[in-house]
Amino acid sequence: MARSLKYSCPKCNSNLDIQKTFNKKFVISCSGCSLEDIVEYTKNIDEVYLEFLARYDQGETPNKRRFGAELKTAGIIRDKKEIEEMIASSDPEQITKDVLFSKRDYISYYKQIKEPDPEMGAGVDEMGLDDAITKHLREKNIERFYKFQEDAIKEIAFGQNVVITAPTASGKTEAFAIPVIQKIANGGAAGIQAIFVYPTKALSRDQAPKIQEIARCVGIDVQVFDGDTKEQERRRILDDPPQIVITNFDVLHYHMMYRTRFAQACSSVKFLIVDETHVYSGIFGSNVHYIIKRLKRICKSMQFVASSATLENAKEFCEDLFGAKMHMISGAGKKGETDFVMIFPSMRTQRSLMIELLEKLTAKKHKTMVFSNSHLNSELVAMQARKKKIDIKVHRAGLMANYRNFVEKAFKENRLMSISCTPTLELGIDVGDVDGVISSTIPVNRLMQRIGRAARKGQRGFAFLALANDPISQYYKNHPDNYFEDVEKTYIDPKNPFVEEFQVLAMACDKPIAIHEMPEHADAIRRHLDEGRLTVHENRYVPNYDSIRQMQGEYSIRGIGKSIDIYIDDKKVGDRVLPMALEELHESAVYFLAGIRYKVKEFDYPQKQYAKLAPLPRNYPYYTKALTEEWPTIETVYEKRAALGIETWFCKLHIQKKVYGYSNIEIGQEVNQGQKITLEKPLEYDFVTKGIVIHVPRPHDQMQAAESPEYVEASGYHATEHIIIEGSNMVTGGVSQDLGGISLGTSGLIFIYDGAIGGSGASKALYDRLEAAFERSLSIVSECPCTGEAGCPRCTFSYRCGNNNEFLHKKAAREILQKIIDGEATEITEPTEGDRPLV
């Protein structure tokens, strides 16, 4: 947007607003006399102004009605009648009305979400509970259970393995804690009887008081045992174990592997309760699958209870995670009303829209959470919001725990009006009253969990889904109803060779493996024997600790691979896992930490593996984005199939990655291209993962019409790779953030792979749904109104592109995708060294 005295109104001499639209037009409006016009795109804004003056002199500027019709036809805004039809009999709050009738954004969807009264179940005195528990519930003004709570209590009491899915703040904790505590009280056994697992230490400590309160009624001791437990408290727990321990999987993994006193104390456990189960996706979930399997070896017989936000495949996923049959119970949310609006920012950036929404809510003293999908965006939102004097702080992974705790406490105690956060705060941490939620584009089930934060105390809430400058947003702008069908798929990959290899070794550390005990892991055991990491002793496989000590210390269950430590003034302030660290912490990279920007002044890799940061001036205009090259090698083909006519392989891949430079991107400009700078010494990293390979058709028509057919062909394949990955995000439910992609020169080969070392299951989710991803991809590129050869951020560009979004050709990509949909058949050929990889 440009606003300058230089551009004055020819009618009244007032200041003009000149705003660039998403489809490369300019909307001009006068703040004084309401003169308005829409002018075709030109790179020079002076030419736009001159064109507008010429149209005014010739009497060609439209009247108000015609101007509104032109904006509507161009898909820039909806007209008043359309908005009124959306509202129908609803009664939106004034803030929502202001947003709906804004002339700066396209309103894709509006709904007043009214949660009905949840179905009620039995009275608390009808369930055969201990009188003390019943009395406690009554003191909390709980006279009846919800139906899903009643069902869960009965099934758990009966001994079933249970999955409970229900929205945030709907009473899941009571549904699993009450029957487990009751069963422990009835059994009367000493020692640890139940382990309650939460994904973070913060969530463990947030939920502990609620569980302790119920347990205290019947004399059951509940203690938190994790990395933050003080030494004196730790000794007391080990000397006199409580019946219930609250912990996380990192602690269980460590203590079983090192056979500590705590691991020995866990051998009496009869119940494993895992809350927020949907978090255990990808690599983390694959490791958790094995930790549960290891716990089963130590504890003999266990009953499982999983609790989760709403998931499309909750039963199937939990059965994979726990390795056991599960019984499914679903619950409804709280009673309340929320104004929900899906907004497409047609005349500004997504970040500008989010900050304006935040300004509207906080001005009326509405406490608000702003969710971004990346560390960088959460930091940029906070930085730009603070310039508008908005009271905001950042909450994201990678910040120190004490800082995150400070932010949570300040928000809960009403000393902070807003938080700019990543999905870390999707979990059930109680941050007190929340009035508004502003979210970037995510799968609908996760959005509903975020919305569950708003109006938690029964008041009217506000929820705004801010679409962005990307292919998915372009699609949902035109097909908002489809958004509600595209549910996230949670996935794990227990056959990840790196996870399996390490976890089998960990099993032997927990307890020697009998010779015939685990035939399903025979290959991994044989490799360990060959490498000398396991030896045979008295018909059992036992670890050779001298050769595995380093592996034990370095392995992380939350992600495979080493990390780069981050320092400011010789004090460690965080870390970043490889290979992502190479892209974010290379020499001269701009790195964001808690709302402050730093420049990397020293980067030591691969020897010492650290980065030292120095603060940047507040007015420094840039952030950086890495430029990368990658080369794929197919090592093993696991599966083959035809997707429509396209030959598709699911394989083991070896990826050689190189960071050779970076581009400076101006803050506030949502541009995916910037000034390129080459590193003196490129950074290299190679890893093995899983992925898919496809061979797409050639764009013959576009090649024949081109002066440089090879450039058009390679650029068409590169654009197709971008669109398929971005388009896949909808049909796979959000896995694209875990994927990388390579198109190989003019070969027609496209590789889409798991970003996690060894594989996470993300590419397998795409492999299974590739036909739907092709269909969405064609819709994205066909419906985007841009006319540039390369396309634009709403169709062919990718914010993850390692080639600065160069070598892209929209029409060639459209031809390729149309041929795929029409059923053209292809076969995979071997890549050759001459093909330039585009990522």
Side-chain angles (χ1 to χ4, degrees):
M1 183 181 80
R3 185 183 272 128
S4 168
L5 290 172
K6 180 181 176 183
Y7 305 119
S8 56
C9 175
K11 187 175 179 182
C12 73
N13 216 33
S14 297
N15 221 18
L16 289 176
D17 250 0
I18 303 180
Q19 297 174 327
K20 184 180 173 184
T21 70
F22 76 99
N23 52 357
K24 295 195 173 180
K25 298 178 187 292
F26 281 92
V27 172
I28 302 167
S29 56
C30 173
S31 56
C33 66
S34 301
L35 180 65
E36 296 170 308
D37 198 5
I38 183 166
V39 176
E40 291 299 318
Y41 174 74
T42 175
K43 287 186 177 177
N44 188 329
I45 200 158
D46 291 332
E47 291 177 19
V48 173
Y49 181 57
L50 291 172
E51 170 70 12
F52 164 66
L53 292 178
R55 284 169 57 79
Y56 175 77
D57 289 341
Q58 293 163 19
E60 293 178 2
T61 51
N63 60 30
K64 203 165 190 69
R65 178 178 292 181
R66 187 158 65 86
F67 178 71
E70 287 181 12
L71 290 180
K72 180 185 172 184
T73 302
I76 295 169
I77 62 167
R78 297 241 196 207
D79 64 25
K80 185 178 178 183
K81 186 181 176 187
E82 285 179 300
I83 301 296
E84 286 171 345
E85 286 173 358
M86 270 188 195
I87 294 171
S89 60
S90 298
D91 178 29
E93 293 281 317
Q94 187 57 49
I95 288 175
T96 311
K97 285 181 184 174
D98 292 345
V99 171
L100 289 172
F101 290 102
S102 159
K103 293 291 182 67
R104 298 185 65 190
D105 306 296
Y106 183 92
I107 306 300
S108 297
Y109 186 89
Y110 165 73
K111 182 181 181 181
Q112 197 169 83
I113 300 172
K114 293 187 179 181
E115 294 290 347
D117 287 330
E119 186 183 354
M120 300 309 293
V124 295
D125 56 357
E126 297 171 13
M127 296 290 291
L129 298 174
D130 190 283
D131 290 343
I133 293 178
T134 303
K135 183 185 174 195
H136 167 73
L137 293 170
R138 285 209 162 121
E139 286 170 358
K140 293 276 187 182
N141 296 317
I142 300 171
E143 294 291 337
R144 306 187 73 79
F145 289 112
Y146 295 132
K147 185 68 171 70
F148 87 90
Q149 291 175 319
E150 178 194 342
D151 292 344
I153 290 168
K154 286 179 177 176
E155 293 294 343
I156 293 168
F158 187 64
Q160 291 274 19
N161 296 325
V162 171
V163 183
I164 305 168
T165 66
T168 304
S170 56
K172 291 194 294 289
T173 302
E174 290 79 2
F176 59 71
I178 288 171
V180 170
I181 289 167
Q182 180 72 70
K183 287 186 81 170
I184 293 170
N186 291 346
I192 301 173
Q193 300 297 301
I195 298 176
F196 283 59
V197 180
Y198 289 91
T200 66
K201 290 182 288 189
L203 190 54
S204 291
R205 290 172 189 278
D206 185 76
Q207 294 296 302
K210 192 187 292 188
I211 297 163
Q212 287 166 335
E213 214 171 46
I214 300 167
R216 206 174 292 124
C217 299
V218 288
I220 299 296
D221 188 18
V222 179
Q223 297 294 333
V224 177
F225 187 92
D226 61 23
D228 291 343
T229 304
K230 300 285 189 291
E231 186 57 40
Q232 187 178 350
E233 181 68 11
R234 191 177 290 255
R235 278 200 300 269
R236 193 184 67 74
I237 289 170
L238 295 174
D239 290 341
D240 183 17
Q243 289 101 322
I244 296 176
V245 165
I246 299 174
T247 189
N248 55 62
F249 279 115
D250 306 76
V251 168
L252 292 175
H253 161 66
Y254 175 89
H255 284 273
M256 286 192 293
M257 185 167 65
Y258 289 103
R259 297 197 210 177
T260 66
R261 283 181 68 197
F262 178 70
Q264 291 165 15
C266 287
S267 62
S268 56
V269 168
K270 296 182 177 64
F271 306 95
L272 178 66
I273 297 88
V274 181
D275 199 5
E276 305 285 356
T277 318
H278 55 282
V279 170
Y280 302 109
S281 189
I283 287 293
F284 190 19
S286 302
N287 277 292
V288 164
H289 164 86
Y290 281 102
I291 294 168
I292 293 169
K293 187 171 185 174
R294 288 161 56 194
L295 195 60
K296 281 194 255 186
R297 290 182 73 226
I298 290 172
C299 301
K300 302 295 185 291
S301 175
M302 269 194 303
Q303 182 179 350
F304 300 124
V305 181
S307 169
S308 172
T310 307
L311 281 178
E312 181 187 34
N313 60 331
K315 184 174 184 291
E316 170 198 346
F317 171 70
C318 287
E319 287 181 342
D320 286 344
L321 189 70
F322 288 87
K325 288 289 178 191
M326 308 288 280
H327 184 80
M328 178 87 170
I329 294 170
S330 298
K334 64 180 187 324
K335 183 182 180 183
E337 293 184 2
T338 304
D339 282 346
F340 169 64
V341 191
M342 185 190 295
I343 312 166
F344 181 82
S346 47
M347 291 194 277
R348 52 178 158 175
T349 65
Q350 179 195 41
R351 201 175 304 123
S352 169
L353 166 62
M354 293 173 93
I355 290 166
E356 185 181 288
L357 292 169
L358 177 61
E359 204 171 11
K360 286 180 186 293
L361 289 168
T362 54
K364 296 293 183 183
K365 304 298 180 190
H366 291 304
K367 288 173 65 183
T368 304
M369 298 174 75
V370 187
F371 285 94
S372 297
N373 287 347
S374 70
H375 291 188
L376 177 63
N377 280 334
S378 67
E379 297 277 4
L380 286 169
V381 165
M383 188 179 81
Q384 291 181 246
R386 274 199 289 269
K387 288 180 180 176
K388 292 181 171 284
K389 309 298 185 209
I390 294 170
D391 183 21
I392 191 167
K393 290 208 167 5
V394 179
H395 187 293
R396 65 167 177 84
L399 296 174
M400 302 305 271
N402 57 353
Y403 180 82
R404 294 204 305 266
N405 294 340
F406 159 73
V407 173
E408 290 162 19
K409 193 165 186 281
F411 193 77
K412 186 173 184 176
E413 294 174 357
N414 299 322
R415 292 182 287 109
L416 179 66
M417 281 302 297
S418 55
I419 301 180
S420 176
C421 51
T422 55
T424 50
L425 272 181
E426 270 175 20
L427 304 178
I429 293 171
D430 183 5
V431 288
D433 297 348
V434 182
D435 306 311
V437 169
I438 301 165
S439 176
S440 51
T441 319
I442 41 148
V444 64
N445 52 301
R446 284 174 60 194
L447 177 75
M448 298 315 288
Q449 186 165 353
R450 291 178 181 182
I451 289 176
R453 291 276 189 188
R456 284 181 78 161
K457 304 298 179 187
Q459 78 273 29
R460 175 76 69 91
F462 302 91
F464 299 107
L465 179 68
L467 298 176
N469 199 19
D470 60 56
I472 302 166
S473 296
Q474 173 79 26
Y475 183 86
Y476 285 143
K477 170 185 181 272
N478 299 323
H479 307 278
D481 290 342
N482 282 10
Y483 175 74
F484 297 93
E485 298 168 10
D486 293 338
V487 178
E488 181 177 28
K489 181 179 173 62
T490 316
Y491 51 88
I492 59 171
D493 181 15
K495 294 308 288 180
N496 177 307
F498 295 92
V499 174
E500 181 189 19
E501 188 168 279
F502 180 83
Q503 289 292 348
V504 166
L505 199 59
M507 283 182 196
C509 295
D510 303 343
K511 175 183 165 183
I513 301 169
I515 290 281
H516 302 297
E517 187 184 346
M518 278 190 275
E520 70 272 25
H521 300 303
D523 290 343
I525 290 169
R526 192 177 305 111
R527 285 194 297 273
H528 285 311
L529 289 169
D530 292 343
E531 295 293 328
R533 292 187 287 261
L534 287 180
T535 59
V536 180
H537 179 70
E538 295 180 354
N539 286 326
R540 297 184 305 169
Y541 299 117
V542 295
N544 177 358
Y545 287 104
D546 288 340
S547 69
I548 68 167
R549 196 160 284 119
Q550 188 174 352
M551 277 180 74
Q552 283 179 302
E554 290 178 351
Y555 189 83
S556 166
I557 66 168
R558 291 174 186 257
I560 303 167
K562 297 178 181 178
S563 293
I564 299 292
D565 290 329
I566 302 169
Y567 291 89
I568 298 171
D569 296 331
D570 296 324
K571 180 185 175 185
K572 184 180 173 183
V573 293
D575 55 46
R576 199 75 175 103
V577 72
L578 290 164
M580 185 56 70
L582 300 186
E583 297 187 32
E584 296 181 2
L585 290 164
H586 56 76
E587 182 188 338
S588 298
V590 174
Y591 192 77
F592 287 76
L593 203 68
I596 299 170
R597 281 180 300 155
Y598 298 86
K599 194 164 195 171
V600 177
K601 65 178 183 180
E602 188 180 336
F603 183 63
D604 194 308
Y605 170 85
Q607 284 77 28
K608 295 181 182 175
Q609 306 204 136
Y610 66 78
K612 292 185 178 179
L613 311 183
L616 282 166
R618 290 186 67 173
N619 60 352
Y620 187 77
Y622 300 108
Y623 63 95
T624 53
K625 186 168 167 296
L627 301 172
T628 61
E629 285 181 0
E630 295 173 12
W631 183 264
T633 305
I634 300 168
E635 295 206 344
T636 308
V637 178
Y638 298 124
E639 292 182 37
K640 294 182 180 182
R641 74 181 189 91
L644 302 174
I646 303 301
E647 186 172 19
T648 307
W649 292 357
F650 177 60
C651 11
K652 178 180 178 182
L653 295 171
H654 178 235
I655 306 292
Q656 294 166 281
K657 187 181 189 82
K658 180 191 290 184
V659 176
Y660 66 88
Y662 60 94
S663 54
N664 278 318
I665 298 177
E666 194 171 342
I667 285 178
Q669 302 296 312
E670 198 161 336
V671 177
N672 292 62
Q673 296 175 315
Q675 175 198 354
K676 292 195 292 186
I677 296 160
T678 303
L679 293 174
E680 282 185 26
K681 185 180 176 185
L683 304 170
E684 297 184 1
Y685 188 86
D686 67 306
F687 62 101
V688 173
T689 186
K690 291 178 183 174
I692 64 174
V693 187
I694 58 175
H695 186 190
V696 298
R698 299 184 81 185
H700 285 291
D701 295 348
Q702 290 299 316
M703 289 169 65
Q704 285 176 355
E707 290 182 14
S708 176
E710 283 193 358
Y711 171 83
V712 169
E713 183 178 15
S715 300
Y717 297 144
H718 186 206
T720 302
E721 173 244 306
H722 278 192
I723 300 163
I724 290 171
I725 290 179
E726 296 301 331
S728 75
N729 210 43
M730 298 179 285
V731 296
T732 57
V735 305
S736 76
Q737 63 193 13
D738 298 329
L739 295 171
I742 305 168
S743 64
L744 266 191
T746 57
S747 68
L749 293 174
I750 292 176
F751 296 76
I752 299 173
Y753 61 86
D754 295 339
I757 298 168
S760 63
S763 61
K764 185 63 167 66
L766 176 58
Y767 178 81
D768 292 338
R769 303 184 185 187
L770 198 52
E771 290 85 351
F774 287 150
E775 288 170 12
R776 289 289 175 92
S777 299
L778 181 60
S779 295
I780 286 167
V781 76
S782 301
E783 293 173 7
C784 185
C786 75
T787 55
E789 178 186 270
C792 74
R794 289 180 171 84
C795 57
T796 58
F797 286 23
S798 168
Y799 75 90
R800 285 183 290 267
C801 182
N803 292 100
N804 205 30
N805 282 302
E806 296 170 353
F807 302 98
L808 297 170
H809 199 285
K810 178 184 176 180
K811 287 183 179 177
R814 183 174 175 173
E815 182 183 341
I816 289 164
L817 288 162
Q818 187 64 60
K819 286 182 171 183
I820 291 172
I821 297 300
D822 291 343
E824 182 167 320
T826 62
E827 290 183 359
I828 289 175
T829 54
E830 285 294 319
T832 58
E833 284 292 334
D835 291 318
R836 176 184 173 175
L838 298 171
V839 300

